[in-house]
Amino acid sequence: MKSNKITIHDISSALNIDSSTVSRALNDSPRVSKKTKEKIAKKAAELGYQRNSLASNLRTNRTNTIGVIVPRISRNFFSTVIAGIEETAYEAGFNVVICQSLESIDREKKLIETLLANRVDGILISISMETTSYEHLQSYYDHGSPIVFYDRPCHFHNCTAVSIDDYKASFDATEHLIQSGRKNIFHFSGPQEIELYQNRKRGYKDALKKHNIEVNEDYCHESGLSEKEGIKAAKKIMNLKNIDAIFSANDTAAIGAMKYLKTQGIRIPEDIAVVGFNNDPISEVIEPSLTTVNQPDFKMGKIAATILLGQIKNKKADTKDQSIVLNSELIIRNSSIN
Amino acid sequence: MKSNKITIHDISSALNIDSSTVSRALNDSPRVSKKTKEKIAKKAAELGYQRNSLASNLRTNRTNTIGVIVPRISRNFFSTVIAGIEETAYEAGFNVVICQSLESIDREKKLIETLLANRVDGILISISMETTSYEHLQSYYDHGSPIVFYDRPCHFHNCTAVSIDDYKASFDATEHLIQSGRKNIFHFSGPQEIELYQNRKRGYKDALKKHNIEVNEDYCHESGLSEKEGIKAAKKIMNLKNIDAIFSANDTAAIGAMKYLKTQGIRIPEDIAVVGFNNDPISEVIEPSLTTVNQPDFKMGKIAATILLGQIKNKKADTKDQSIVLNSELIIRNSSIN
DNA sequence: AACAAAAATACAATCGATTGTATTTTCAGA
DNA sequence: TCTGAAAATACAATCGATTGTATTTTTGTT
């Protein structure tokens, strides 16, 4: 029961070998003879020695840890990105600390502070929907550690961002609805302070324009894109009477709307076609199955982590400012087919 | 760009005040006068001071951090448990480090080592499906820090476990199928080395016995309960011809089976009724909607975290050995109604 | 056997914050 | 104004590991 805190000094005195040699031995330094290394390893195991990373990290000023800030781990898209990040980090011998902002800027601020205080070597962040200023990132940045944005890009100094071409994906999704004969297309959009949602909205509008469809500002519902907000928006649509399609900036809200519309006897896609965004597992299961945009989530995580690790290794700034745009694809399912 | 590493010594020398006083001031100790505290706070802000938790934690031998090991964050059940844990920890001023074992014992071992090396104050763990021995937990335990199990209970010393009554929940679920006239009930079960899956299987068997239905060992498919395994088990069922119901130890496998059975023209629930476990969001959306067991996930997280934090505060062992059993409920939906 | 070079090990400072003890300052009351 | 207790601050050791430098030991060569 007594807390066993064996340090290198315990090994040192047990064997009458200096602690510096013990440290080097445990780190497999070439400066220690094989024989001594073996003796030390044996004694360490015998005493149940466990390295104290706090001390080591304090001394070396490196933690071999990257922090990941994610709006919400329960979203399939994000948990898959994390899987990609972890795989890459794991291979490189780095630890990953996952933190949820829950779309709150206050929490995001606290998380950055904590990560900074714990001296992570780098941060991967998808900013919260409330994040419109970047002061809280500044103090971290000033510390000299790299930041890479993923999914939701962000103009912060010249930091790298890994994302898809949201404009194009939305343009294509909207055009798909138009080409299947829809004219009155409603858009569920997210906070316009976030570049990502601006881009998705622009894509939607430009597709309409290209096909000479008037852009009607009433045909847009801006929200946090939760399931509830999807239902709310669907109610709005019911009042408008003439809507024949929905393009939602995420699946969650699209699914909320579908559930509600079905209870109201609206036929999907006959009366209203629906297209979502993210390819959430539910989108495949819901009936009718939901047409949506598939993003390379796992790959996005891998690439973002690779870039961050690169920047951690080369402290130079020259790996920065390379915004990476990955390909996405529209998965056409039954919710948009006539 | 230069990395700003301001320490209390920089503040100390800038103001000609001893670093011990600076430290006390920043921690709001009563031993420092208000005037000095203000002066120090101002200078700290001016210099952009950021505490170094590594140093602080090393000295105090506390990290104010708890580690959470979870099989997979993408499962809705687990991410909701985490939400509960985080809420509780957050209120208590504790940080949470989330780690995924991905159901691998090797990863779980590494995670425990890392958490130990980083001196977390306590661990919340839901063991992986591969975990049948607890040696890796022992070294952590020997260190004197508390461990609390959640969801998947575990006989390890007399550590607390927070879970539901899996036996009873499965018994009830199976009985529900029997009462709606099913006789040939197939069971998707998980690794029998894990207590949780043993209990679910026992509940299933005992319900059959109670109703004088013969237990047929062929009516059981043991696996990792992935969607793929669900499909595999469904194929097995197709060969058996006479199965009229499935009780799956989780929703994921049940959903896989449903998808497959539908493609084979099997009607659910008319030909085969299905009951799952976990109340995954998909279970509500899939058609027919899936009857399943709802667990108090968020609450489970809150309670597990509360107990762990209590054990961290009272280093005594007397809060241990209180296994907490929470209530679950069977949510009856269309997949099991005649 | 002698000696230089190489290998192995020891010494000691350090990372940044905390904390028990010692010293100085302040201030009330006589 | 002086005294003593209380308040404020300074001193110095410490947490556990790392690392540059110094010292000792080993090895190979002539």
Side-chain angles (χ1 to χ4, degrees):
Chain A
M1 188 60 57
K2 59 168 183 291
S3 81
N4 118 16
K5 351 181 180 180
I6 303 299
T7 72
I8 54 170
H9 300 102
D10 297 312
I11 300 176
S12 162
S13 53
L15 296 173
N16 234 325
I17 293 177
D18 190 80
S19 61
S20 62
T21 302
V22 174
S23 170
R24 288 194 168 96
L26 293 172
N27 288 307
D28 202 24
S29 154
R31 280 179 57 175
V32 179
S33 71
K34 202 180 236 182
K35 219 161 88 184
T36 310
K37 274 183 192 167
E38 283 164 2
K39 217 160 48 173
I40 289 173
K42 200 181 144 208
K43 184 57 89 179
E46 184 189 322
L47 297 177
Y49 169 78
Q50 295 285 152
R51 96 201 298 256
N52 185 327
S53 296
L54 298 174
S56 166
N57 294 340
L58 172 62
R59 182 61 228 262
T60 59
N61 206 28
R62 288 183 103 251
T63 53
N64 263 264
T65 300
I66 62 176
V68 178
I69 297 182
V70 72
R72 195 161 241 123
I73 56 172
S74 61
R75 292 268 171 87
N76 184 267
F77 169 73
F78 287 119
S79 59
T80 312
V81 172
I82 289 173
I85 292 170
E86 287 201 325
E87 190 175 286
T88 303
Y90 191 75
E91 285 164 4
F94 268 69
N95 298 125
V96 177
V97 175
I98 303 164
C99 315
Q100 300 190 74
S101 67
L102 301 176
E103 305 285 9
S104 146
I105 174 100
D106 287 335
R107 283 195 65 127
E108 191 172 283
K109 279 181 189 165
K110 286 228 175 74
L111 293 175
I112 299 259
E113 262 174 41
T114 305
L115 291 176
L116 178 48
N118 284 289
R119 301 294 191 266
V120 295
D121 297 330
I123 288 183
L124 287 168
I125 180 170
S126 192
I127 54 171
S128 89
M129 284 199 189
E130 286 177 14
T131 303
T132 54
S133 88
Y134 310 135
E135 290 157 39
H136 56 307
L137 298 177
Q138 191 62 47
S139 65
Y140 179 81
Y141 185 81
D142 288 343
H143 204 266
S145 305
I147 304 180
V148 168
F149 296 92
Y150 66 93
D151 186 44
R152 301 178 182 171
C154 203
H155 284 118
F156 180 69
H157 294 272
N158 53 352
C159 293
T160 306
V162 182
S163 61
I164 61 161
D165 186 340
D166 289 287
Y167 171 82
K168 184 170 175 302
S170 297
F171 186 98
D172 293 348
T174 308
E175 194 165 45
H176 160 70
L177 285 168
I178 296 169
Q179 281 166 348
S180 60
R182 313 291 170 158
K183 291 232 150 68
N184 297 301
I185 303 171
F186 197 94
H187 179 48
F188 296 176
S189 79
Q192 289 302 300
E193 291 80 14
I194 308 293
E195 250 183 80
L196 174 115
Y197 294 113
Q198 276 175 25
N199 293 340
R200 291 192 186 167
K201 190 172 183 177
R202 264 199 310 120
Y204 155 78
K205 282 184 174 175
D206 285 1
L208 296 181
K209 283 179 198 155
K210 178 183 169 194
H211 292 272
N212 298 314
I213 300 175
E214 200 191 340
V215 175
N216 185 338
E217 278 300 333
D218 292 342
Y219 286 8
C220 201
H221 180 86
E222 186 181 323
S223 75
L225 295 170
S226 64
E227 197 164 322
K228 264 189 191 157
E229 288 289 348
I231 294 171
K232 207 164 142 188
K235 286 180 180 162
K236 212 162 151 183
I237 287 174
M238 293 296 283
N239 290 329
L240 286 171
K241 313 280 183 202
N242 61 335
I243 298 298
D244 56 13
I246 296 171
F247 168 53
S248 173
N250 80 3
D251 285 346
T252 311
I255 286 161
M258 281 175 75
K259 284 183 185 172
Y260 178 77
L261 292 174
K262 287 202 280 185
T263 66
Q264 300 305 106
I266 303 289
R267 292 168 306 163
I268 299 170
E270 294 80 357
D271 300 330
I272 297 182
V274 184
V275 172
F277 210 112
N278 278 356
N279 194 22
D280 193 279
I282 295 188
S283 68
E284 189 204 341
V285 169
I286 197 168
E287 294 197 15
S289 56
L290 178 62
T291 296
T292 187
V293 177
N294 184 48
Q295 302 186 65
D297 35 24
F298 190 81
K299 193 174 167 191
M300 189 182 283
K302 292 215 71 155
I303 291 179
T306 304
I307 291 172
L308 184 72
L309 291 174
Q311 292 184 0
I312 289 171
K313 267 160 210 159
N314 298 328
K315 286 261 175 180
K316 306 163 213 155
D318 53 17
T319 46
K320 288 192 181 177
D321 206 10
Q322 37 168 257
S323 281
I324 307 261
V325 177
L326 303 176
N327 287 325
S328 60
E329 56 170 337
L330 185 66
I331 299 183
I332 298 172
R333 298 208 184 93
N334 297 325
S335 68
S336 65
I337 292 177
N338 288 330
Chain B
M1 188 60 57
K2 60 168 181 291
S3 82
N4 118 16
K5 353 181 179 184
I6 303 298
T7 73
I8 54 171
H9 299 103
D10 297 313
I11 300 176
S12 164
S13 54
L15 296 173
N16 232 325
I17 293 176
D18 190 80
S19 61
S20 62
T21 302
V22 174
S23 170
R24 289 191 167 97
L26 293 172
N27 287 307
D28 203 24
S29 153
R31 279 176 58 174
V32 180
S33 71
K34 199 179 240 180
K35 220 160 88 184
T36 309
K37 274 183 193 168
E38 282 165 2
K39 218 158 49 172
I40 289 172
K42 200 181 142 206
K43 183 58 85 179
E46 184 189 320
L47 297 177
Y49 169 77
Q50 295 283 153
R51 97 199 299 255
N52 185 328
S53 297
L54 298 174
S56 167
N57 294 340
L58 172 61
R59 184 61 229 262
T60 59
N61 206 28
R62 288 183 102 251
T63 53
N64 263 265
T65 300
I66 61 176
V68 178
I69 297 183
V70 72
R72 196 161 240 124
I73 57 172
S74 61
R75 293 270 170 87
N76 184 266
F77 169 74
F78 287 119
S79 60
T80 313
V81 173
I82 290 173
I85 292 169
E86 287 203 324
E87 191 176 284
T88 303
Y90 191 75
E91 285 163 5
F94 268 70
N95 298 126
V96 177
V97 175
I98 303 164
C99 315
Q100 301 190 77
S101 67
L102 301 176
E103 305 285 8
S104 145
I105 175 99
D106 287 335
R107 284 194 65 127
E108 190 174 283
K109 277 181 188 164
K110 285 228 176 74
L111 293 175
I112 299 258
E113 260 174 41
T114 305
L115 291 175
L116 178 49
N118 284 289
R119 300 293 190 268
V120 295
D121 296 330
I123 288 183
L124 287 169
I125 181 169
S126 192
I127 54 170
S128 89
M129 285 197 187
E130 288 177 12
T131 303
T132 54
S133 87
Y134 309 136
E135 290 157 40
H136 56 308
L137 298 177
Q138 191 62 47
S139 66
Y140 179 81
Y141 184 82
D142 288 342
H143 204 266
S145 305
I147 304 180
V148 169
F149 296 91
Y150 65 93
D151 187 44
R152 302 180 182 169
C154 204
H155 284 119
F156 180 69
H157 294 272
N158 52 353
C159 292
T160 307
V162 182
S163 61
I164 62 162
D165 186 340
D166 288 287
Y167 171 82
K168 185 172 174 298
S170 298
F171 186 98
D172 293 348
T174 308
E175 193 164 46
H176 160 70
L177 285 169
I178 296 169
Q179 281 166 348
S180 58
R182 312 293 170 159
K183 291 231 151 67
N184 297 302
I185 304 172
F186 197 94
H187 178 47
F188 295 176
S189 79
Q192 290 302 301
E193 292 80 14
I194 308 291
E195 251 184 80
L196 174 116
Y197 294 112
Q198 278 176 23
N199 293 339
R200 291 192 186 167
K201 190 171 182 178
R202 266 200 309 120
Y204 154 78
K205 282 184 173 175
D206 284 1
L208 295 182
K209 284 179 197 157
K210 179 184 166 194
H211 292 271
N212 298 313
I213 300 176
E214 199 192 340
V215 175
N216 186 337
E217 278 300 334
D218 292 342
Y219 286 7
C220 203
H221 179 85
E222 187 181 322
S223 75
L225 295 171
S226 64
E227 197 165 320
K228 264 190 191 153
E229 289 290 347
I231 293 171
K232 207 164 142 188
K235 286 180 181 162
K236 212 162 154 185
I237 288 174
M238 293 296 284
N239 290 330
L240 286 171
K241 313 279 182 202
N242 61 335
I243 298 298
D244 56 13
I246 296 170
F247 167 52
S248 172
N250 80 5
D251 284 346
T252 311
I255 286 162
M258 281 176 75
K259 283 185 186 170
Y260 177 76
L261 292 175
K262 286 202 281 182
T263 66
Q264 300 304 108
I266 303 290
R267 291 167 307 160
I268 300 169
E270 292 80 358
D271 300 329
I272 297 182
V274 184
V275 172
F277 211 113
N278 278 356
N279 194 22
D280 193 279
I282 295 187
S283 68
E284 190 205 341
V285 169
I286 196 168
E287 294 196 14
S289 57
L290 177 63
T291 295
T292 187
V293 177
N294 183 48
Q295 303 186 65
D297 37 22
F298 190 81
K299 193 174 166 191
M300 188 181 284
K302 292 215 71 158
I303 291 178
T306 304
I307 291 172
L308 184 72
L309 291 174
Q311 292 184 1
I312 290 171
K313 267 162 210 158
N314 297 327
K315 286 260 173 178
K316 304 162 218 159
D318 52 16
T319 47
K320 287 191 181 177
D321 206 10
Q322 36 170 258
S323 282
I324 308 260
V325 177
L326 304 176
N327 287 323
S328 61
E329 56 170 337
L330 184 67
I331 299 182
I332 297 172
R333 298 209 183 93
N334 298 325
S335 68
S336 66
I337 292 177
N338 288 327

